[in-house]
Amino acid sequence: MSDPQMAVLAPTMRKLAKRFPLSPEDQAAFLALPVSLKKLAVGNYIVREADIARSCCVLLSGFAYRHKIVRDGARQIVSINVPGDMVDLHNSFLGVADHNVQMLTAGEVAVIPSRAVQDIAYLRPAIGRAMLLDTLVDGSIFREWIANVGRRDARSRVAHLLCEFAVRLQAAGESEARNYHLPMTQEQLGDATGLTAVHVNRTIQALRQDGLISTDKRSVTIENWEGLVTTGDFNTAYLHPERAEGEPR
Amino acid sequence: MSDPQMAVLAPTMRKLAKRFPLSPEDQAAFLALPVSLKKLAVGNYIVREADIARSCCVLLSGFAYRHKIVRDGARQIVSINVPGDMVDLHNSFLGVADHNVQMLTAGEVAVIPSRAVQDIAYLRPAIGRAMLLDTLVDGSIFREWIANVGRRDARSRVAHLLCEFAVRLQAAGESEARNYHLPMTQEQLGDATGLTAVHVNRTIQALRQDGLISTDKRSVTIENWEGLVTTGDFNTAYLHPERAEGEPR
DNA sequence: CGAACTTTTGACAAGCATCAACACGTGTGG
DNA sequence: CCACACGTGTTGATGCTTGTCAAAAGTTCG
């Protein structure tokens, strides 16, 4: 709205533009989206399942996670969001939330009216296309997570998750490649991998003993990247890291 | 291309238009997409992981499944496609396939050049928006599958899958609600639920003994819908069944 | 009619869950 | 400043769900 807020969407725009260039006019329109800023504490909800969406949040700082609760109360984390991510495009377009989004750390979001997001996607096809590409990449990550929890053993699941964080945090400019702050408890790691906290604990100990990683509080250092990649059966292809158009135009 | 093919995309168009109306011009443009038809046998690949996409297939008849192979050779099915589905929007836009798509039954696909799909999404924003909505629903289904394989036990997983098929097949006009042909082996059911074929077999026997379903060859009859829904912790919300816009326009 | 695939059954093993207790650090209020 | 509660990480003992292996019975299809 006011000047100081003009640039808050810049990282998100750069992320969108990375896969497909946006014209200066499109970029300006995106940056001019009406936003209000909101600080959030650890554990605050951005979206609750079954909410009717009236706004779309962009994560400016801090981390968030999406999760679903199954009948017996168990929780499954279905993805992690890093700064720059549009946290609920889904909800803006589909109207009703099918999962929860909660802050993993304290942070700040830019709140944009759903209608403004829908309109810009429609009135500026390049932005609509960028959102589609972003959503397709999200889908690819979801598929990899299905394979991760469905067909890998505990050791591989955890190693895979650690590899994914390393790559995504680096891509978001949030950390170095081999050493990053992982703001998740072992219980949350379990919820992301379909394991219990106890088993995550033992699995991490095994990874440490094998010299693949070391940890200090919540910071993870990857001691042997190749080994961790092999253990986690990790291949960056599913993150579609760069412009991956069949035919650039 | 020629007249007899003009209507093959009609079911797909109706599916796209269901969530957001398309103008007659948009509808005509969609139906006029250049297609070539291709018959496929059971097990034929539509897309292979790491393929560079040159075309986008729409499933006209038959069923397909998407899957990924993990290091030790295990396979994880990440979704099932029914007639009318655009089978590889992902690949058209992202360029390189991150998973395989294979025919579950014999069937027919309409092959559209990737470029034509990209262009129509860009030049006709309403169609681009419809594709975005479709992709967002796919994402919601992926998330539910992560929760299914990550946090439910074998009995719930299988029940959930059977419920999803019942609803989706009916929505696609492929079967009645309570009785449908399920063209999957128990091994494939295991690959979709993160279980082994042997355990799927025992789980299905248990569901039968509890009077929830009965089976005859590959046909499934749901004897107790409420019971199966409860067992599978199934809630249709994640399928976003109808127009689910926050504010219809 | 036979070959290949799929379903079913049984015995056994293993990975992971469960439960419980303890250690450790952190923040908070008396 | 201490005492305490609380959340998180760690460890051990035990058991259940699911996997593995193998073989037989049933089914499909050329």
Side-chain angles (χ1 to χ4, degrees):
Chain A
M1 315 228 165
S2 58
D3 261 17
Q5 300 176 356
M6 281 294 286
V8 297
L9 296 179
T12 305
M13 196 203 66
R14 276 198 298 276
K15 213 185 81 173
L16 286 177
K18 209 167 60 176
R19 296 179 199 285
F20 224 116
L22 295 176
S23 71
E25 297 77 36
D26 287 331
Q27 296 194 16
F30 190 84
L31 292 178
L33 279 169
V35 300
S36 59
L37 303 186
K38 196 166 155 193
K39 285 191 193 305
L40 295 169
V42 181
N44 281 8
Y45 278 83
I46 301 178
V47 183
R48 277 180 195 275
E49 195 166 340
D51 271 1
I52 305 293
R54 297 255 157 263
S55 58
C56 173
C57 292
V58 172
L59 195 56
L60 300 179
S61 64
F63 297 85
Y65 64 109
R66 305 167 176 281
H67 61 96
K68 306 194 78 150
I69 307 289
V70 301
R71 175 163 36 87
D72 64 4
R75 180 177 61 175
Q76 177 67 44
I77 295 178
V78 297
S79 81
I80 305 292
N81 284 112
V82 302
D85 285 357
M86 306 195 72
V87 164
D88 44 5
L89 255 193
H90 317 69
N91 303 316
S92 288
F93 282 94
L94 293 175
V96 52
D98 53 67
H99 63 286
N100 307 286
V101 187
Q102 201 173 356
M103 291 301 291
L104 200 49
T105 65
E108 199 171 15
V109 294
V111 183
I112 309 171
S114 284
R115 189 53 174 276
V117 173
Q118 290 178 42
D119 286 348
I120 201 174
Y122 185 74
L123 297 173
R124 297 193 166 268
I127 291 180
R129 176 176 56 193
M131 288 180 181
L132 176 56
L133 285 171
D134 200 52
T135 302
L136 288 168
V137 172
D138 281 351
S140 176
I141 297 175
F142 289 137
R143 288 190 290 273
E144 183 69 27
W145 278 47
I146 294 174
N148 202 41
V149 295
R151 282 299 188 214
R152 295 198 181 102
D153 63 14
R155 187 181 164 84
S156 294
R157 285 186 216 180
V158 173
H160 192 277
L161 196 67
L162 294 177
C163 288
E164 180 176 317
F165 284 146
V167 171
R168 289 183 60 194
L169 291 176
Q170 194 184 15
E174 292 290 318
S175 82
E176 317 159 32
R178 298 301 157 89
N179 185 329
Y180 58 88
H181 182 74
L182 178 65
M184 294 177 78
T185 65
Q186 294 182 353
E187 180 161 12
Q188 289 165 335
L189 289 172
D191 288 341
T193 50
L195 301 167
T196 56
V198 171
H199 205 67
V200 167
N201 182 289
R202 293 180 168 128
T203 304
I204 288 178
Q205 286 181 49
L207 295 176
R208 276 198 298 247
Q209 276 169 19
D210 294 348
L212 297 175
I213 60 170
S214 61
T215 61
D216 179 28
K217 313 275 165 122
R218 294 280 167 81
S219 99
V220 175
T221 304
I222 297 175
E223 303 289 353
N224 176 353
W225 174 251
E226 283 308 320
L228 195 65
V229 161
T230 303
T231 301
D233 188 23
F234 182 77
N235 180 330
T236 53
Y238 76 94
L239 294 170
H240 294 278
E242 270 314 306
R243 284 194 56 190
E245 278 296 312
E247 302 136 334
R249 47 197 296 169
Chain B
M1 313 229 166
S2 58
D3 262 14
Q5 300 177 354
M6 281 296 284
V8 298
L9 296 179
T12 304
M13 195 203 66
R14 277 196 298 276
K15 214 185 79 175
L16 286 177
K18 208 168 59 176
R19 295 179 199 284
F20 223 116
L22 296 176
S23 71
E25 297 76 37
D26 286 332
Q27 297 193 16
F30 190 83
L31 293 177
L33 279 168
V35 301
S36 58
L37 303 186
K38 197 164 153 192
K39 286 191 191 306
L40 294 169
V42 181
N44 281 9
Y45 279 84
I46 300 177
V47 183
R48 275 179 195 276
E49 194 167 339
D51 270 1
I52 304 295
R54 297 255 158 264
S55 57
C56 173
C57 291
V58 171
L59 195 55
L60 301 179
S61 64
F63 297 86
Y65 64 109
R66 307 166 174 279
H67 62 96
K68 307 194 76 150
I69 308 288
V70 301
R71 176 161 36 85
D72 63 5
R75 181 177 60 176
Q76 177 67 45
I77 295 177
V78 297
S79 82
I80 304 292
N81 285 110
V82 302
D85 285 357
M86 305 196 71
V87 165
D88 44 6
L89 256 192
H90 318 69
N91 303 315
S92 287
F93 282 94
L94 293 175
V96 52
D98 52 65
H99 63 286
N100 307 285
V101 186
Q102 201 172 356
M103 290 303 289
L104 200 48
T105 64
E108 199 171 16
V109 294
V111 183
I112 309 171
S114 283
R115 189 53 172 277
V117 174
Q118 290 178 41
D119 285 348
I120 200 173
Y122 184 75
L123 298 173
R124 298 194 166 266
I127 290 180
R129 177 176 56 193
M131 287 181 181
L132 176 56
L133 285 171
D134 199 52
T135 302
L136 288 168
V137 173
D138 281 351
S140 177
I141 298 175
F142 289 139
R143 287 190 289 273
E144 183 68 27
W145 279 47
I146 294 174
N148 202 41
V149 295
R151 282 298 187 216
R152 295 198 182 103
D153 63 16
R155 187 180 165 85
S156 294
R157 284 186 217 180
V158 173
H160 191 279
L161 196 66
L162 294 177
C163 289
E164 180 175 319
F165 284 145
V167 171
R168 289 183 62 195
L169 290 175
Q170 195 185 14
E174 293 288 319
S175 83
E176 315 158 34
R178 299 302 157 89
N179 185 329
Y180 59 87
H181 182 74
L182 179 65
M184 294 177 78
T185 65
Q186 295 182 353
E187 180 160 14
Q188 288 165 336
L189 289 172
D191 288 341
T193 50
L195 302 167
T196 57
V198 171
H199 204 66
V200 166
N201 183 288
R202 294 182 168 127
T203 304
I204 288 178
Q205 287 181 49
L207 294 176
R208 275 196 300 246
Q209 277 169 19
D210 294 347
L212 297 174
I213 62 170
S214 61
T215 61
D216 178 31
K217 314 278 162 123
R218 295 278 167 80
S219 100
V220 175
T221 303
I222 298 175
E223 303 290 352
N224 177 353
W225 175 250
E226 285 307 321
L228 195 64
V229 162
T230 303
T231 301
D233 187 24
F234 182 76
N235 179 330
T236 53
Y238 77 95
L239 294 170
H240 295 278
E242 269 314 305
R243 283 195 58 191
E245 277 296 311
E247 302 138 332
R249 48 196 294 169

